[in-house]
Amino acid sequence: MWVYRTGRMYADRQIVLYEYQRTRNASHPREFLKDFSGICVTDGYQVYHTIENEREDLVIAGCWSHARRRFDEAVKALPKAKQKDSRAYLALTMIQAIYREEKQLKELPVQERQDRRQLSVKPLVEAYFVWVRENISKVPQKSKTWEGFSYSLNQEKYLKVFLDDGEVPMDNNAAEQSIRGFCIGKKNWVMIDTVAGAKSSAIIYSIAETAKANNLKPYDYFEYLLTEIPKHLDDTDRNFLDDMLPWSPSLPANCRKPGKDEVK
């Protein structure tokens, strides 16, 4: 199950799309992204880099959450008394400092965020990579810490992309969180054993997760769609669908989650 979504942090209209394919072959994202130009934030899966190399209008940005993951695993594998003395722990501390600085820029306008990243975030990123190069030869090869260092160096080009664009987040956690519910729940629908069933579930998940991402109540939103769409089955003009999109102001109030200032 492939998942594509808008950047959660900086986009007003959120879209979450699930696409079922039989394999993890590069042909699938190549086809899906053929009309897209811009920046995609992904994990380190090589197929995205392959597609980027084929095109001039697509840029792949790396995920800092994935960069820290191996260090977190390395620290947890150590006795508690030795954790804070490890290079893995220091790597986590340095990455956390980058996240902490980035968090302070969250509410800034795009251009100001980009400018501030150059001043306050970029030096931390550059210092991290200098330190990684100095220390990779000091840890056992194939250890979790070595894997973390190696991953960072292999992904350095991609992990630095966010520094030059204020709209690009540091990680793809939004997409990771979108797939988590599917992974947790998949044991509940083992009866879906056909390609058609899998593709249908992808459509349903796309609607439900997009509704949630736009602060709608999925059940009420589905009920509204299943009530209204049959009224238009004979229509040749599909413009009525605009009023049913998850960000449409025409949606009934009961589809929306209460806002922070509203009484629940």
Side-chain angles (χ1 to χ4, degrees):
M1 190 67 75
W2 298 77
V3 177
Y4 305 87
R5 66 161 298 161
T6 49
R8 178 182 57 186
M9 195 176 301
Y10 308 129
D12 293 330
R13 296 181 175 184
Q14 295 292 310
I15 300 174
V16 186
L17 291 176
Y18 292 72
E19 182 189 42
Y20 172 77
Q21 295 289 352
R22 289 175 179 267
T23 71
R24 300 181 75 224
N25 190 282
S27 62
H28 307 311
R30 182 182 291 116
E31 173 65 21
F32 189 92
L33 297 170
K34 66 181 181 182
D35 295 320
F36 173 82
S37 61
I39 299 176
C40 287
V41 187
T42 74
D43 58 20
Y45 191 31
Q46 182 58 40
V47 298
Y48 301 116
H49 306 151
T50 299
I51 297 170
E52 180 191 41
N53 291 334
E54 297 170 353
R55 297 172 49 177
E56 296 182 354
D57 60 347
L58 179 68
V59 175
I60 298 299
C63 171
W64 279 90
S65 182
H66 281 82
R68 75 177 298 280
R69 187 171 296 175
R70 289 162 181 79
F71 299 126
D72 184 60
E73 293 172 354
V75 169
K76 289 178 178 177
L78 291 171
K80 195 167 185 179
K82 295 184 178 181
Q83 289 180 351
K84 292 187 177 181
D85 296 326
S86 67
R87 287 185 174 85
Y89 184 85
L90 184 52
L92 287 177
T93 302
M94 297 178 77
I95 294 174
Q96 185 58 40
I98 298 170
Y99 267 100
R100 186 165 54 247
E101 194 64 35
E102 172 68 15
K103 186 177 181 180
Q104 298 182 33
L105 313 181
K106 182 179 179 180
E107 303 301 328
L108 297 180
V110 172
Q111 187 58 52
E112 187 175 352
R113 184 184 305 116
Q114 180 177 327
D115 294 341
R116 289 278 298 277
R117 279 175 173 173
Q118 292 294 309
L119 292 172
S120 61
V121 181
K122 186 175 181 178
L124 297 175
V125 171
E126 296 293 354
Y128 168 76
F129 282 106
V130 169
W131 179 81
V132 168
R133 286 191 173 85
E134 291 175 347
N135 283 270
I136 189 170
S137 62
K138 300 176 183 178
V139 298
Q141 285 198 19
K142 306 305 180 182
S143 65
K144 283 293 181 182
T145 302
W146 184 90
E147 289 178 3
F149 287 157
S150 181
Y151 181 92
S152 290
L153 293 177
N154 289 336
Q155 298 292 314
E156 181 175 2
K157 167 188 172 182
Y158 310 105
L159 290 171
K160 289 182 175 180
V161 169
F162 84 101
L163 295 171
D164 297 317
D165 193 317
E167 288 188 310
V168 178
M170 276 183 65
D171 54 46
N172 71 339
N173 283 350
E176 291 284 327
Q177 291 170 7
S178 295
I179 196 65
R180 185 171 297 139
F182 182 88
C183 292
I184 292 173
K186 62 186 178 182
K187 290 184 179 179
N188 294 329
W189 48 81
V190 292
M191 73 292 296
I192 298 177
D193 58 358
T194 66
V195 171
K199 290 186 174 182
S200 295
S201 70
I203 293 171
I204 294 170
Y205 250 81
S206 297
I207 297 172
E209 292 299 320
T210 298
K212 288 160 61 177
N214 287 277
N215 294 313
L216 300 182
K217 294 182 284 186
Y219 180 90
D220 297 276
Y221 183 55
F222 271 114
E223 184 177 47
Y224 172 69
L225 294 179
L226 293 173
T227 300
E228 293 300 316
I229 290 177
K231 299 176 183 178
H232 300 273
L233 293 181
D234 295 328
D235 292 5
T236 55
D237 184 350
R238 301 301 188 193
N239 287 334
F240 72 91
L241 291 172
D242 291 342
D243 292 332
M244 299 183 183
L245 294 173
W247 45 80
S248 170
S250 301
L251 293 179
N254 70 296
C255 289
R256 307 182 191 281
K257 293 181 180 179
K260 291 182 180 180
D261 299 326
E262 298 179 47
V263 177
K264 295 183 180 180

